[in-house]
Amino acid sequence: MCPHYSYFLSLFVTVNKHKPWIETTYHGIVTENDDKVLLDPPLIALDKDAPLRYAESFEVTLTEEGEICGFRIHGQNVPFEAVVLDKSTGEGVIRAKDKLDCELQKEHTFTIQAYDCGEGPDGANMKKSHKATVHIQVNDINEYSPVFKEKSYKATVIEGKKYDSILKVEAVDADCSFQFSQICNYEIVTPDVPFTIDKDGFIKNTEKLSYGKERMYKLTVTAYDCGKNRASEDVLVKISVKPTCKPSWQGFNKRIEYEPGTGSLALFPSMHLETCDEPITSIRASIELETNHIGKGCDRDTYSEKSLHKLCGARSGTVELLPAPSSSANWTVGLPTDNGHDSDQVFEFNGTQAIKVPDGMVSTSLKEPFTISVWMRHGPGAHEKETILCNSDKTEMNRHHYSLYIHNCRLILLLRQDPSEAKNYKPAEFHWKLDQVCDKEWHHYVLNVEFPTVSLFVDGTTFEPFLVTEDYPLHPSKIETQLTIGACWQDNSGHDNDNETVSESTSGGNARMAQFFRGNLAGLMIRSGKLENKKVIDCLYTCKEGLDVQLPEEVASAVKVDFNPNQSSLTVEGDDIDAFDKVMQHISYLNSRQFPTPGIRHLRISTTVKCFNEESCVTVPDAEGYVMVLQPEEPKISLSGIDHFARSAAEFESQEGVTLFPELRIVSTITREVEADAESETVVSEEIMHNLDTCEVTVVGDELDGEHESLEVDLPQLQQRGLEMSSSNLGLVINGVNTMANYEQVLHLIRYKNWHTEALFDRKFKLVCSELNGRYISNDFKVEVNVIHTANPVEHANNAMVQPNFINPVHHASVDLSGHNLVNAHQASVVPSAATIVIVVCVSFLVFMIILGVFRIRAAHQRTMRDQENGKENEMDWDDSALTITVNPMEVKTHPHFFARRQNVCLFVRSYYRNRTTCQAERISEIQGAFWTCFAGL
């Protein structure tokens, strides 16, 4: 066939013989914020039916059979579409239908197929290409910032250690690409902290940390992704510094406050033992309560030693040689003392002071049993003898009959027997070598002497003498002895001296003393005729404060607890740590005193721990703290009653005398602060009950004259209540621990007598009561009592035996004014002349005015009393319902009985004036003026 023929034939014959052709695989890239896909290779479909294009001179007409009409994508939910850009060339593109999200789907895979336009205008016999696979990767943009996985991070480190890594913080980025989803850097924002962080988020310390310097560090950390986006929110990192794990007691409050009157107080309610996970087999802890600085070693009742002996059961024969200074016991006045306000009465002996006990205070016979007890604090001293108590000759021979002294830290009791028929050697000195004698601490010593046996108790524990020496009995002598405390009495002119002495001359009259004591003494007692039993000794030594523990039932068998005698220390032993902790949590402090001594009591816990090898494997340091006993509410002791009254002279001279405190009342109150509401407090006064131990009545003014006046009290009533009384020319003192009610009853019985009242017009007394050996003292209650004198009838030689008829005898009824008996009625004598009439009229007018004034005063007084809630408590005790003054008109004005009556009326007016209102006092002044006007003319 001719070639030209074939060519022209193909131009005019439309036959679609071939399928379009595309590549088998395509790879594309698309960015999240773009819809155009970059394909490799490009999307081009070829079709063999397409005509050839020649650059001939002739014209070519193209047909549709060789054109590409479109591309078809096969797949489910494919977010892409294919578009033909040029049908003739078959070029096309793939683009995203919607915005793509790499974080949702990073890659897409689907198939694509090309198809041509078919034959003719209607596209018949359309041909499709094969299916090609398309892989499209969605490229990421850095749209997200890093976010930390945790809201905060915590870690704990031990002080003194440098860590390679303490903790790791981690942040994530939601971007899908490796570049933008990776965290490239972490940074600590907080400045000047001893920590650093690496790119992986590991934090470590740059220096050794100290628990004492900083217990917790707070760091702010941020993160950056590789696109340099910073974390949307920084994170907080807390690093706690823990002290180096050392076995110790944890949860222990160093200061523990104790409020008086609250009973038992748990000392370690939250405490536990930290053993640092060591394998423990046994634990032993000693808890010590240090009270040596409180009183005589701990808190005890601070009554007088004699009262304490009575309270403990020693009720007879006890003599107190170191009493608190008072009017009846003044031989201790010169000794330095701590005043005994907060604790016990303690006397100091500095090596130059000593006292002589008055003669007759002690009548101890060495043939009878007797007891010496004393509280003593003594430190290491010189090698000389230091005498506590000594009974020696007053003059000449300087013999020591008995003495208690210290020599080279040994306690020695000397007992020299009286002359006897058998002059044989007998025990004379008993020696005890004790650490307590020179340890500068308070100890209680009791010596029971029943010759030839002597028993010593120190703090309730018995000690036997390590040495007993013998000596001959003393030679017969009539020399009197002198009992001294703090040294021994010596006669400077001395002859034979049975004992070695160290003389020491000091100013102040101590030239005849030797062997001076240096230390503190208190409660020195001698009890004659009986020995103290162990129960009394333990009672005297027992503290009112100490440690206590109530063992829980579940741990009682697992732990052992032991106390010392005065409960100032206890020991706990066990092998179960949990049970041991529970016991420690139940240890408590208790002070049973109503008014404890305030101040600090130090606490110390010493612990020993053993491991399986039975050796001490863990060292637990001592735990120290203190109990602060708060100041108790101090009681205010108030004495009240009638403080001014008058009685007739006859009552003072009677057998009963005059009762000084008939309506005395003793009340004790404390002041408390009570919360009225959330913002204010109210102070209230509350009455309380407690004991008293002393009440002292003293004379104000001149001392009592034993020849014609005295203070007396009903001794059987006193003894019935277990009280004692001592008296002197200054007054009397009632001693003994008893209730305020019993003291009231006894004080009601005190009477004042005076059987020589002619020159006495008033007497004043003062009453003071106290508790706890003067720690709490009442107010001074002063009483003034006036003496009402009455004139006695006297016969005058110049009086007529028979009254004249024109003179009528004048009689006035004598009325008792309740303690103000002004006069006793007696008949008037006759005085002749006109002067008699003037006198009678004047006196009658005076009497009328007095009666009228008294009547008006009583009426006004009754009205005043109705308006007042309570009458004046110290009002004069009298009844002025009527008043009659009888004056003998026959007596001349110079007669002594005239002046006696005048004085009584004046006394009446003065007394009444002091105890009435101003209005009443003015009326009294009128009466008094009328009285003196009347008598001035006589």
Side-chain angles (χ1 to χ4, degrees):
M1 181 179 292
C2 178
H4 296 284
Y5 172 78
S6 301
Y7 174 74
F8 286 107
L9 182 63
S10 64
L11 291 176
F12 296 100
V13 178
T14 58
V15 178
N16 190 12
K17 295 181 179 179
H18 298 93
K19 296 178 181 179
W21 179 90
I22 58 176
E23 299 287 345
T24 58
T25 304
Y26 292 93
H27 293 276
I29 298 174
V30 62
T31 306
E32 280 183 312
N33 58 357
D34 194 2
D35 61 350
K36 185 178 180 180
V37 179
L38 299 177
L39 287 177
D40 182 24
L43 181 60
I44 298 176
L46 301 177
D47 194 327
K48 289 183 179 182
D49 293 323
L52 298 175
R53 297 169 182 251
Y54 295 98
E56 299 293 342
S57 59
F58 53 88
E59 193 175 304
V60 177
T61 303
L62 296 178
T63 61
E64 294 180 357
E65 287 77 7
E67 293 180 350
I68 302 300
C69 278
F71 296 93
R72 183 172 296 170
I73 293 176
H74 300 276
Q76 188 174 2
N77 299 326
V78 177
F80 296 95
E81 62 180 1
V83 180
V84 176
L85 298 178
D86 189 342
K87 290 183 178 181
S88 60
T89 60
E91 184 180 356
V93 294
I94 297 176
R95 61 188 180 192
K97 295 179 181 179
D98 299 309
K99 185 179 180 180
L100 298 176
D101 191 347
C102 176
E103 287 73 35
L104 294 178
Q105 190 168 349
K106 189 175 182 180
E107 292 182 352
H108 296 270
T109 301
F110 54 90
T111 60
I112 190 171
Q113 191 176 31
Y115 60 91
D116 58 19
C117 295
E119 298 175 358
D122 56 356
N125 196 22
M126 183 183 62
K127 300 293 184 179
K128 298 179 182 180
S129 71
H130 63 274
K131 293 180 179 180
T133 303
V134 178
H135 300 281
I136 297 178
Q137 177 180 337
V138 181
N139 278 357
D140 186 26
I141 61 173
N142 196 11
E143 59 184 324
Y144 291 100
S145 297
V147 176
F148 286 94
K149 287 186 175 182
E150 303 291 339
K151 291 184 178 180
S152 64
Y153 292 86
K154 295 180 180 179
T156 301
V157 296
I158 298 176
E159 68 173 345
K161 185 178 180 181
K162 200 169 181 180
Y163 290 81
D164 293 332
S165 174
I166 296 175
L167 80 160
K168 179 183 180 181
V169 298
E170 187 175 358
V172 295
D173 195 307
D175 290 311
C176 64
S177 66
F178 178 83
Q179 178 185 1
F180 298 137
S181 65
Q182 295 299 308
I183 307 300
C184 283
N185 187 32
Y186 290 92
E187 180 183 346
I188 297 176
V189 180
T190 306
D192 301 326
V193 290
F195 298 94
T196 186
I197 188 169
D198 62 15
K199 63 183 182 63
D200 296 321
F202 290 99
I203 298 176
K204 64 180 180 180
N205 55 321
T206 58
E207 61 184 42
K208 294 181 179 180
L209 304 179
S210 171
Y211 176 79
K213 181 179 179 180
E214 190 70 43
R215 298 187 179 185
M216 177 181 287
Y217 291 89
K218 295 181 180 180
L219 315 176
T220 301
V221 176
T222 193
Y224 295 90
D225 63 18
C226 294
K228 296 185 178 181
N229 267 8
R230 181 173 173 169
S232 58
E233 186 176 348
D234 298 338
V235 72
L236 177 65
V237 179
K238 295 180 180 180
I239 300 178
S240 299
V241 181
K242 185 179 179 181
T244 305
C245 185
K246 299 177 181 178
S248 62
W249 289 104
Q250 304 290 328
F252 171 41
N253 292 329
K254 289 188 175 182
R255 177 187 171 96
I256 305 160
E257 291 189 353
Y258 180 80
E259 186 173 348
T262 56
S264 183
L265 174 67
L267 296 176
F268 323 114
S270 304
M271 190 169 71
H272 67 278
L273 181 62
E274 174 63 60
T275 59
C276 296
D277 299 326
E278 290 286 345
I280 303 301
T281 59
S282 66
I283 312 169
R284 185 180 187 274
S286 297
I287 299 91
E288 297 181 7
L289 179 71
E290 296 181 4
T291 59
N292 293 338
H293 61 291
I294 304 296
K296 299 190 292 285
C298 67
D299 213 2
R300 297 180 175 89
D301 284 329
T302 56
Y303 296 118
S304 67
E305 199 68 23
K306 192 171 185 178
S307 296
L308 289 174
H309 274 70
K310 283 191 176 183
L311 290 173
C312 288
R315 295 191 173 275
S316 62
T318 303
V319 179
E320 189 171 5
L321 300 182
L322 284 175
S326 65
S327 59
S328 59
N330 57 5
W331 62 89
T332 58
V333 171
L335 289 177
T337 174
D338 69 346
N339 297 323
H341 288 305
D342 287 336
S343 56
D344 299 314
Q345 187 80 52
V346 175
F347 295 95
E348 179 183 353
F349 293 83
N350 58 14
T352 63
Q353 294 171 312
I355 58 172
K356 294 191 295 183
V357 178
D359 295 339
M361 288 295 300
V362 179
S363 57
T364 302
S365 172
L366 299 184
K367 296 179 180 179
E368 297 180 355
F370 68 96
T371 298
I372 300 176
S373 64
V374 65
W375 286 93
M376 181 176 69
R377 177 169 60 189
H378 180 264
H383 297 292
E384 302 168 349
K385 292 183 179 180
E386 298 181 55
T387 300
I388 302 169
L389 179 70
C390 179
N391 187 30
S392 58
D393 289 339
K394 273 191 176 182
T395 58
E396 300 180 8
M397 301 185 71
N398 288 344
R399 299 176 304 174
H400 295 179
H401 293 252
Y402 62 88
S403 67
L404 181 65
Y405 63 94
I406 296 171
H407 192 204
N408 292 329
C409 290
R410 299 180 183 182
L411 185 67
I412 302 172
L413 175 66
L414 170 69
L415 289 176
R416 297 295 301 276
Q417 293 297 302
D418 291 333
S420 61
E421 295 180 358
K423 295 183 179 180
N424 300 325
Y425 278 103
K426 293 183 179 181
E429 280 190 340
F430 300 82
H431 296 245
W432 291 271
K433 190 174 183 179
L434 304 170
D435 294 335
Q436 292 91 328
V437 172
C438 291
D439 64 1
K440 293 185 179 180
E441 301 291 344
W442 279 106
H443 297 285
H444 185 230
Y445 300 84
V446 178
L447 292 105
N448 278 339
V449 180
E450 191 173 17
F451 194 80
T453 302
V454 179
S455 300
L456 172 66
F457 296 86
V458 181
D459 298 336
T461 304
T462 307
F463 291 88
E464 295 296 330
F466 82 96
L467 175 65
V468 178
T469 61
E470 296 182 340
D471 202 347
Y472 278 110
L474 294 173
H475 301 292
S477 173
K478 295 182 179 181
I479 301 174
E480 295 182 356
T481 59
Q482 175 65 59
L483 183 61
T484 55
I485 300 172
C488 244
W489 180 259
Q490 302 285 354
D491 182 9
N492 289 342
S493 63
H495 298 13
D496 296 335
N497 192 345
D498 290 348
N499 297 279
E500 178 188 354
T501 64
V502 180
S503 299
E504 182 172 342
S505 297
T506 62
S507 60
N510 290 330
R512 302 182 69 178
M513 294 287 186
Q515 302 176 4
F516 286 87
F517 177 76
R518 293 174 177 84
N520 297 101
L521 298 176
L524 180 57
M525 307 283 293
I526 288 185
R527 187 183 185 194
S528 303
K530 292 186 178 180
L531 302 178
E532 295 289 17
N533 58 48
K534 187 66 166 59
K535 182 178 180 180
V536 173
I537 295 172
D538 291 340
C539 174
L540 292 171
Y541 176 69
T542 300
C543 294
K544 293 293 184 178
E545 65 177 341
L547 300 175
D548 193 15
V549 61
Q550 298 295 330
L551 290 178
E553 294 182 1
E554 64 270 18
V555 299
S557 59
V559 178
K560 179 183 177 182
V561 180
D562 292 321
F563 287 90
N564 71 336
N566 62 354
Q567 291 190 301
S568 63
S569 67
L570 61 86
T571 303
V572 183
E573 295 184 58
D575 52 12
D576 187 327
I577 295 181
D578 293 335
F580 199 92
D581 287 344
K582 286 184 179 180
V583 172
M584 295 294 290
Q585 292 167 7
H586 282 77
I587 295 175
S588 59
Y589 170 80
L590 177 64
N591 195 315
S592 60
R593 293 189 65 193
Q594 186 176 9
F595 307 109
T597 303
I600 291 175
R601 278 78 165 159
H602 289 280
L603 278 171
R604 179 180 287 108
I605 305 175
S606 303
T607 311
T608 303
V609 177
K610 291 186 178 180
C611 296
F612 283 103
N613 57 7
E614 291 297 324
E615 294 181 359
S616 179
C617 58
V618 174
T619 301
V620 180
D622 292 351
E624 295 185 355
Y626 61 92
V627 177
M628 172 58 76
V629 178
L630 302 179
Q631 180 75 36
E633 299 288 348
E634 295 196 0
K636 180 181 180 182
I637 306 172
S638 301
L639 309 179
S640 60
I642 299 175
D643 64 355
H644 188 200
F645 58 89
R647 293 290 183 268
S648 66
E651 292 186 49
F652 287 91
E653 297 175 356
S654 65
Q655 185 66 28
E656 292 78 14
V658 174
T659 302
L660 291 182
F661 313 107
E663 297 183 18
L664 176 72
R665 186 155 184 253
I666 306 176
V667 176
S668 184
T669 58
I670 59 174
T671 302
R672 297 182 185 272
E673 291 185 354
V674 180
E675 292 187 3
D677 51 48
E679 298 180 355
S680 62
E681 292 184 346
T682 304
V683 178
V684 298
S685 183
E686 178 182 343
E687 184 173 345
I688 62 170
M689 301 300 296
H690 58 78
N691 292 330
L692 297 176
D693 61 358
T694 302
C695 280
E696 184 173 4
V697 181
T698 56
V699 181
V700 178
D702 296 336
E703 297 180 359
L704 292 174
D705 188 343
E707 294 184 359
H708 61 263
E709 59 180 341
S710 66
L711 285 174
E712 298 181 1
V713 67
D714 193 338
L715 290 178
Q717 292 288 337
L718 206 67
Q719 295 170 356
Q720 183 180 348
R721 292 169 175 80
L723 300 175
E724 294 183 355
M725 186 270 291
S726 59
S727 61
S728 68
N729 57 352
L730 299 177
L732 61 83
V733 180
I734 299 175
N735 291 303
V737 180
N738 218 314
T739 63
M740 292 188 295
N742 279 338
Y743 263 94
E744 265 189 17
Q745 296 172 8
V746 169
L747 292 172
H748 288 167
L749 303 176
I750 294 179
R751 302 181 304 275
Y752 171 65
K753 292 183 181 181
N754 192 313
W755 45 94
H756 186 66
T757 60
E758 289 81 0
L760 181 67
F761 298 101
D762 56 48
R763 205 69 159 110
K764 297 178 182 178
F765 301 91
K766 181 179 72 173
L767 172 64
V768 178
C769 294
S770 65
E771 162 70 336
L772 295 174
N773 207 18
R775 181 175 175 184
Y776 301 117
I777 303 175
S778 72
N779 60 304
D780 291 351
F781 179 65
K782 295 182 180 180
V783 172
E784 179 179 348
V785 56
N786 296 119
V787 182
I788 305 301
H789 293 278
T790 57
N792 296 321
V794 179
E795 295 295 333
H796 302 284
N798 60 346
N799 287 349
M801 297 297 295
V802 180
Q803 295 181 3
N805 292 333
F806 60 88
I807 297 297
N808 293 323
V810 180
H811 298 275
H812 293 288
S814 177
V815 180
D816 184 11
L817 295 180
S818 182
H820 289 276
N821 288 337
L822 298 182
V823 294
N824 291 329
H826 57 278
Q827 282 188 317
S829 302
V830 178
V831 178
S833 76
T836 303
I837 298 174
V838 176
I839 293 173
V840 171
V841 171
C842 189
V843 171
S844 299
F845 174 77
L846 174 62
V847 171
F848 171 77
M849 290 297 293
I850 290 175
I851 294 174
L852 178 60
V854 170
F855 177 80
R856 293 179 65 185
I857 290 170
R858 287 205 54 190
H861 178 61
Q862 290 173 356
R863 286 195 301 271
T864 303
M865 291 300 292
R866 285 195 298 269
D867 295 337
Q868 293 179 348
E869 190 173 311
N870 294 313
K872 192 173 180 182
E873 195 173 23
N874 60 350
E875 184 150 313
M876 293 182 62
D877 180 19
W878 73 343
D879 179 8
D880 52 3
S881 59
L883 176 65
T884 300
I885 300 178
T886 302
V887 179
N888 186 351
M890 298 306 296
E891 293 179 343
V892 295
K893 60 181 181 180
T894 57
H895 197 278
H897 291 289
F898 176 87
F899 290 106
R901 294 190 182 110
R902 177 173 171 175
Q903 186 185 51
N904 287 330
V905 175
C906 181
L907 174 61
F908 159 70
V909 175
R910 282 192 308 161
S911 299
Y912 210 92
Y913 179 84
R914 279 196 297 261
N915 294 274
R916 290 296 182 258
T917 63
T918 304
C919 181
Q920 294 167 334
E922 291 175 356
R923 296 191 182 108
I924 289 297
S925 298
E926 294 174 1
I927 298 171
Q928 186 178 8
F931 172 81
W932 292 119
T933 301
C934 179
F935 277 91
L938 297 182

